[in-house]
Amino acid sequence: QKEVEQDPGPLSVPEGAIVSLNCTYSNSAFQYFMWYRQYSRKGPELLMYTYSSGNKEDGRFTAQVDKSSKYISLFIRDSQPSDSATYLCAMSAENAGNNRKLIWGLGTSLAVNP
Amino acid sequence: DTGVSQDPRHKITKRGQNVTFRCDPISEHNRLYWYRQTLGQGPEFLTYFQNEAQLEKSRLLSNRFSAERPKGSFSTLEIQRTEQGDSAMYLCASSPPTPQETQYFGPGTRLLVL
């Protein structure tokens, strides 16, 4: 079993839809949870960062962390064609030497259709 | 542009040749990470520096791979005697020494080994 599971999709939605993206994980030591957006042939771009449990909102994006269920979500409201990309969840724990290497999901490919 | 930069952006080489990639992190960031990403996969951790010290190296990194970060500024990743299986996107990320440390990625170097 992989440490982080993420459905690769693809996910196709109409413009304006609410998008829900999810990851599950197995390592209870993970404390830092991130969502990155990656356009084709580009490096990942940080979207949202959450420490421990709870919700965080930034514009049209909301990140949720449920540590009891080992489940994280990213919601995109009023989705736009420019949101079409691959969304990767990543998480880390505090390791020796402060190495917060990220453990990644596979990424979910999202297409928002005009 | 004050983001993470990587050079070259693309590299095509023949099997058996050596290649070297460079990463320039965000100037105030003391932590630097290298990841490798293949198509349809999330990035995989390769190695981590805190300042000039290489504190962790993945077992994925064979002895053909070496990374350095002299003076704790830019970093280089060298692959000796390249193999076709080395073809991937090589990503560099840097992060600041704060409790809410998050990693910011460069555009990546895409390597193709023929």
Side-chain angles (χ1 to χ4, degrees):
Chain A
Q1 182 189 7
K2 291 174 69 75
E3 280 191 283
V4 179
E5 300 277 1
Q6 182 177 11
D7 185 341
L11 184 61
S12 181
V13 302
E15 184 175 353
I18 296 175
V19 177
S20 173
L21 303 165
N22 311 292
C23 289
T24 59
Y25 62 95
S26 57
N27 187 347
S28 57
F30 288 146
Q31 301 167 293
Y32 307 93
F33 303 93
M34 283 138 282
W35 286 95
Y36 283 83
R37 177 173 62 196
Q38 188 173 27
Y39 292 111
S40 181
R41 299 181 180 275
K42 305 288 187 183
E45 170 194 0
L46 180 66
L47 276 179
M48 300 286 285
Y49 167 91
T50 308
Y51 172 70
S52 192
S53 283
N55 295 356
K56 188 171 185 178
E57 187 173 322
D58 184 1
R60 297 185 295 111
F61 298 89
T62 299
Q64 291 184 347
V65 174
D66 181 350
K67 290 192 73 179
S68 62
S69 302
K70 295 190 180 69
Y71 187 89
I72 70 170
S73 300
L74 177 71
F75 297 96
I76 306 173
R77 291 184 297 280
D78 187 25
S79 55
Q80 303 295 309
S82 59
D83 294 329
S84 299
T86 296
Y87 290 80
L88 297 124
C89 63
M91 45 199 82
S92 65
E94 186 86 28
N95 293 328
N98 291 321
N99 176 3
R100 299 208 194 144
K101 63 183 176 185
L102 295 175
I103 309 300
W104 297 78
L106 288 178
T108 300
S109 176
L110 171 67
V112 180
N113 305 307
Chain B
D1 187 349
T2 57
V4 178
S5 61
Q6 292 187 246
D7 184 69
R9 295 290 306 277
H10 302 91
K11 179 71 178 179
I12 300 174
T13 191
K14 293 182 180 178
R15 190 175 51 186
Q17 297 295 303
N18 299 342
V19 295
T20 300
F21 309 142
R22 177 180 169 122
C23 172
D24 286 90
I26 295 171
S27 59
E28 62 268 26
H29 289 186
N30 69 331
R31 296 174 184 165
L32 187 147
Y33 299 79
W34 284 98
Y35 294 86
R36 178 172 65 189
Q37 185 178 27
T38 53
L39 198 62
Q41 302 292 317
E44 291 178 305
F45 168 79
L46 293 178
T47 191
Y48 159 68
F49 289 86
Q50 184 165 293
N51 300 311
E52 67 277 6
Q54 187 175 20
L55 297 185
E56 187 170 341
K57 188 174 172 179
S58 168
R59 56 188 166 81
L60 293 174
L61 219 60
S62 76
N63 55 12
R64 297 184 297 106
F65 288 70
S66 62
E68 294 182 342
R69 193 184 181 197
K71 302 178 182 177
S73 55
F74 71 92
S75 176
T76 57
L77 178 69
E78 181 183 16
I79 309 174
Q80 295 181 327
R81 305 181 303 282
T82 52
E83 300 173 357
Q84 288 184 324
D86 298 331
S87 296
M89 172 84 94
Y90 289 83
L91 293 162
C92 175
S94 70
S95 65
T98 63
Q100 291 184 321
E101 170 256 343
T102 52
Q103 295 178 29
Y104 296 88
F105 283 79
T109 294
R110 184 169 294 277
L111 173 66
L112 178 61
V113 181
L114 301 176

